[in-house]
Amino acid sequence: MKKSTKITLAATATIMGCCTLLLSGCGGGSDIVNSKSDIVFNGGIVSVLDNDLIFINGYNSGDISSMDEYNSAAQKAYMSSVKLNALQNDAFTSPEGVKKVKDRAVGTANLYSFVYGNDVYYVAPSQYKNSSNQHDFKRLTVYKCGFDGSGEKEILNHTNQFNSSTGFFRALKFGSTAYLFVFDGTELCCINLDNSNRTIISSKATSVAVPREGEEWNGKIYYTENKDNAYGQAGNEAFMFNVQGGASTALNNSQNYTVTFTGRAGDEVFYTMKYESTKVEKTLKAHASEFESVAFNTAGKNFYSAAISNVYAVGNNGMEGYQGYIFTSSLSGSAQIMYINISYPNAPEVLLSKDDYSNILFTHGDNVYFSTSKGISVKSVAGGEIKAIVEDSTIVAGKVGYDFFESGNVKNLYYFAERKYAEDDETEEDERDKNVYLYMISASGEGRPKLLGQTVK
């Protein structure tokens, strides 16, 4: 019988040469070139450069509670690079020439990475001990390093915590400066990527409105904090942080109202207003410039009759001409994806029911890309049809990357899935590799998925 391929740090000779640099990369030099001046973000698990792909080649699905488990995870999922012209059209064999960049960049649920300039930025479980002298791998550290793993630096030594349901990392550029916003569920901070200066915007933020990567925005972040009701006035306080000047300004919120930011698409901001005496809550939408000058209840227009989340813009012209918005609503008692056309704002319709999807991945034009535990599909808002791209594959439903043709259309999708074998492979089931690797497939769904995760041939 043939032996199954097993994921490793690299070939034996590479391990011997790099063992003393296990946590800092091999630093053997790099011929990778980045000609882009903007942030290169392709979904947080890959970065697509001129002729190079930098990617996390595997995924660790288990919890990490000890250094032994951390080191084990780092052997199964780490940062790699490969020449794009070396990729094979093969679902079962990883390409030649895969290079290990960094083993500290472990593929986990909170994975986030991108390229800016000549550095790779990535988030990994923190190795710092807490006040009880214990490792707390739920806290996260942000690093950067060169394309060969050398010159590693921490740009955020660790978050205070990380609430996966509300926390986020968001890499944005405004003008000529790039920023990384980090919200751990309570603390909101801004890191200037050009000089590594960090500003703590709030240590008690309760909701945040920040655009997604690549969107046009006004250089301002909006957030709320619980109000000190020393005078018996219910409600909360809302603020605006301006990256130009690095200062926060209190916004004009109405007394006895609790404002909660629930989404943002460019500079269109979505928020709920709950009147504290009646507890009635609904969603409003306003352009950011509106509530910078007037109160929230005056600035916003009614958008939906309940609270929403996961707002995305959709439209044939992408960011330049929204036709509408999709969002998650639980008004029916279970989570479903709704669609509102801006031409018919009073006629929301169900786009995907709770049985149709696990995660909304991204939107492009009028297409909504979404995943389940078994595959990836796309649905046209305008046409209504659903097309399967990946089927019958045990995938990590929420972690998908993407890149684009020069024409602007979606080119490829990248996703984590269990190792696949050819139908005629004779490896015994109990000897098969059950690790999770990175795959690439054409966004059209044509052709076979390509295995990118490094394995021993």
Side-chain angles (χ1 to χ4, degrees):
M1 295 294 183
K2 290 185 290 185
K3 299 296 289 183
S4 62
T5 56
K6 296 292 184 181
I7 194 166
T8 89
L9 283 172
T12 303
T14 306
I15 296 176
M16 293 176 64
C18 297
C19 62
T20 58
L21 297 171
L22 194 62
L23 295 180
S24 59
C26 294
S30 173
D31 59 356
I32 296 176
V33 174
N34 177 26
S35 64
K36 302 177 178 67
S37 60
D38 288 332
I39 293 169
V40 180
F41 180 84
N42 297 101
I45 61 177
V46 296
S47 294
V48 183
L49 304 180
D50 295 358
N51 186 40
D52 296 276
L53 183 71
I54 296 175
F55 61 98
I56 307 300
N57 68 12
Y59 186 86
N60 179 74
S61 58
D63 291 331
I64 300 174
S65 58
S66 69
M67 279 304 302
D68 286 344
E69 291 177 353
Y70 184 100
N71 292 332
S72 176
Q75 294 180 39
K76 298 176 182 177
Y78 49 88
M79 186 188 298
S80 299
S81 68
V82 69
K83 297 295 180 185
L84 290 171
N85 56 17
L87 300 182
Q88 304 175 45
N89 187 20
D90 197 312
F92 314 111
T93 305
S94 58
E96 299 288 343
V98 175
K99 296 180 180 179
K100 176 186 174 182
V101 176
K102 183 69 64 176
D103 67 338
R104 200 199 297 267
V106 178
T108 65
N110 295 317
L111 172 64
Y112 188 89
S113 70
F114 60 93
V115 165
Y116 179 56
N118 294 317
D119 291 303
V120 186
Y121 292 78
Y122 56 96
V123 174
S126 176
Q127 296 187 46
Y128 283 92
K129 293 184 177 180
N130 58 24
S131 58
S132 301
N133 201 34
Q134 300 291 322
H135 286 292
D136 181 0
F137 294 103
K138 293 182 180 180
R139 301 191 303 174
L140 302 172
T141 296
V142 183
Y143 302 92
K144 74 173 183 177
C145 68
F147 294 145
D148 62 349
S150 63
E152 181 181 79
K153 295 181 180 178
E154 295 178 2
I155 64 169
L156 177 65
N157 56 22
H158 63 80
T159 58
N160 293 326
Q161 55 172 358
F162 195 79
N163 185 333
S164 297
S165 63
T166 57
F168 61 77
F169 296 87
R170 204 65 52 84
L172 304 171
K173 192 171 184 181
F174 185 72
S176 60
T177 305
Y179 304 90
L180 177 65
F181 291 90
V182 182
F183 180 49
D184 65 12
T186 301
E187 183 177 277
L188 173 64
C189 73
C190 173
I191 302 169
N192 184 318
L193 299 183
D194 293 314
N195 57 25
S196 296
N197 289 340
R198 182 168 68 100
T199 301
I200 297 178
I201 300 172
S202 174
S203 59
K204 53 180 181 178
T206 53
S207 69
V208 185
V210 59
R212 287 188 172 84
E213 296 85 357
E215 291 186 339
E216 295 292 329
W217 67 304
N218 59 1
K220 299 172 182 178
I221 299 298
Y222 305 92
Y223 63 97
T224 57
E225 295 181 346
N226 284 331
K227 187 175 183 179
D228 182 2
N229 294 321
Y231 301 100
Q233 296 171 340
N236 65 352
E237 293 181 298
F239 300 87
M240 173 187 72
F241 174 79
N242 193 337
V243 296
Q244 294 183 313
S248 291
T249 304
L251 298 174
N252 184 14
N253 192 16
S254 301
Q255 292 183 6
N256 298 317
Y257 280 97
T258 295
V259 170
T260 302
F261 293 113
T262 56
R264 180 169 174 174
D267 289 333
E268 296 294 329
V269 179
F270 299 79
Y271 55 94
T272 61
M273 289 196 67
K274 181 172 67 175
Y275 189 55
E276 287 301 322
S277 63
T278 63
K279 304 300 181 183
V280 172
E281 188 174 42
K282 59 184 177 181
T283 297
L284 291 83
K285 178 177 75 75
H287 191 275
S289 59
E290 294 295 324
F291 55 72
E292 290 178 14
S293 57
V294 298
F296 283 89
N297 58 341
T298 302
K301 295 182 179 179
N302 289 342
F303 180 77
Y304 195 63
S305 56
I308 64 175
S309 60
N310 299 322
V311 180
Y312 292 82
V314 291
N316 287 331
N317 297 322
M319 296 304 304
E320 296 179 0
Y322 298 161
Q323 285 192 319
Y325 302 91
I326 64 166
F327 55 90
T328 303
S329 168
S330 298
L331 184 60
S332 66
S334 60
Q336 53 189 3
I337 303 301
M338 304 296 297
Y339 167 65
I340 288 182
N341 189 312
I342 58 175
S343 298
Y344 307 99
N346 297 320
E349 56 188 88
V350 177
L351 183 74
L352 295 167
S353 68
K354 66 180 181 67
D355 297 324
D356 293 330
Y357 76 101
S358 294
N359 295 88
I360 297 299
L361 303 173
F362 65 100
T363 61
H364 184 72
D366 75 330
N367 288 323
V368 178
Y369 292 81
F370 61 96
S371 64
T372 69
S373 62
K374 292 295 183 180
I376 301 171
S377 298
V378 59
K379 182 170 184 177
S380 166
V381 172
E385 65 274 9
I386 293 178
K387 179 180 180 179
I389 301 173
V390 178
E391 296 182 276
D392 299 324
S393 206
T394 304
I395 74 168
V396 179
K399 291 294 180 183
V400 172
Y402 44 84
D403 65 349
F404 302 92
F405 289 104
E406 290 184 5
S407 63
N409 295 321
V410 183
K411 182 179 183 180
N412 297 306
L413 300 182
Y414 304 83
Y415 63 96
F416 293 117
E418 280 190 8
R419 176 85 161 90
K420 296 180 73 70
Y421 288 81
E423 291 183 2
D424 60 353
D425 192 288
E426 297 177 347
T427 308
E428 294 285 356
E429 182 65 29
D430 61 356
E431 292 187 351
R432 291 197 169 191
D433 184 352
K434 298 298 184 182
N435 287 313
V436 174
Y437 296 85
L438 188 71
Y439 286 81
M440 178 178 77
I441 190 170
S442 167
S444 67
E446 299 176 357
R448 295 189 299 180
K450 299 178 183 180
L451 173 63
L452 301 182
Q454 187 175 8
T455 63
V456 174
K457 310 297 187 296

